[in-house]
């Protein structure tokens, strides 16, 4: 199996678990690198499921976003602010930002 097939084989709950491991524990599983490559190659067939699983994981973990004056902030349920960048060194962060703010998706 190639990485695209492996990504497509993931269930919604498995995608949520990946997002939760990233948001809660700061872990960036290899699947995010595969996902980033699929986005770049424009061959991601189930993008909406990744978006929905991210939003559901954020809801489950109590994360919320404030978006004002062309600035956004992300907080967990305790009020701790999180900082994410869209650089290429952290695929999960890049995908997180691109899903939440899809301008210039690629």
């Amino acid at each position: 199996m190639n990485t695209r097939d492996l990504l497509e084989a993931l269930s919604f709950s498995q995608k949520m678990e990946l997002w939760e491991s990233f948001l809660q524990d700061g872990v960036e599983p290899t699947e995010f690198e595969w996902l980033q490559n699929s986005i770049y190659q424009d061959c991601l067939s189930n993008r909406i499921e990744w978006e929905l699983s991210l939003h559901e994981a954020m809801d489950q973990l109590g994360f919320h976003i404030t978006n004002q004056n062309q600035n956004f902030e992300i907080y967990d349920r305790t009020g701790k602010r999180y900082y994410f960048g869209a650089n290429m060194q952290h695929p999960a962060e890049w995908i997180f930002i691109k899903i939440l703010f899809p301008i210039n998706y690629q």
Side-chain angles (χ1 to χ4, degrees):
M1 285 186 120
N2 62 35
T3 57
R4 183 177 176 191
D5 293 336
L6 293 170
L7 281 175
E8 289 183 10
L10 293 171
S11 68
F12 185 82
S13 61
Q14 289 171 317
K15 291 172 185 166
M16 277 186 52
E17 288 176 23
L18 290 170
W19 283 119
E20 289 170 356
S21 69
F22 167 64
L23 293 170
Q24 188 170 320
D25 304 322
V27 175
E28 291 201 39
T30 302
E31 289 86 348
F32 286 116
E33 192 174 322
W34 302 343
L35 181 58
Q36 183 182 45
N37 289 335
S38 290
I39 291 169
Y40 272 126
Q41 295 168 9
D42 198 25
C43 63
L44 183 62
S45 62
N46 56 357
R47 178 176 175 236
I48 191 73
E49 193 167 285
W50 282 100
E51 292 178 12
L52 293 173
S53 64
L54 169 59
H55 287 286
E56 184 63 27
M58 289 178 67
D59 286 345
Q60 296 271 329
L61 296 173
F63 276 71
H64 66 279
I65 299 171
T66 60
N67 192 1
Q68 302 176 37
N69 302 326
Q70 299 179 346
N71 189 26
F72 70 91
E73 298 171 347
I74 301 166
Y75 297 92
D76 69 9
R77 74 178 64 209
T78 67
K80 178 184 173 190
R81 185 172 177 190
Y82 283 72
Y83 296 89
F84 296 109
N87 66 37
M88 297 308 299
Q89 296 174 335
H90 300 282
E93 288 185 24
W94 183 85
I95 296 162
F96 179 83
I97 297 298
K98 291 299 181 181
I99 285 177
L100 293 176
F101 307 100
I103 297 174
N104 296 327
Y105 186 69
Q106 292 187 347

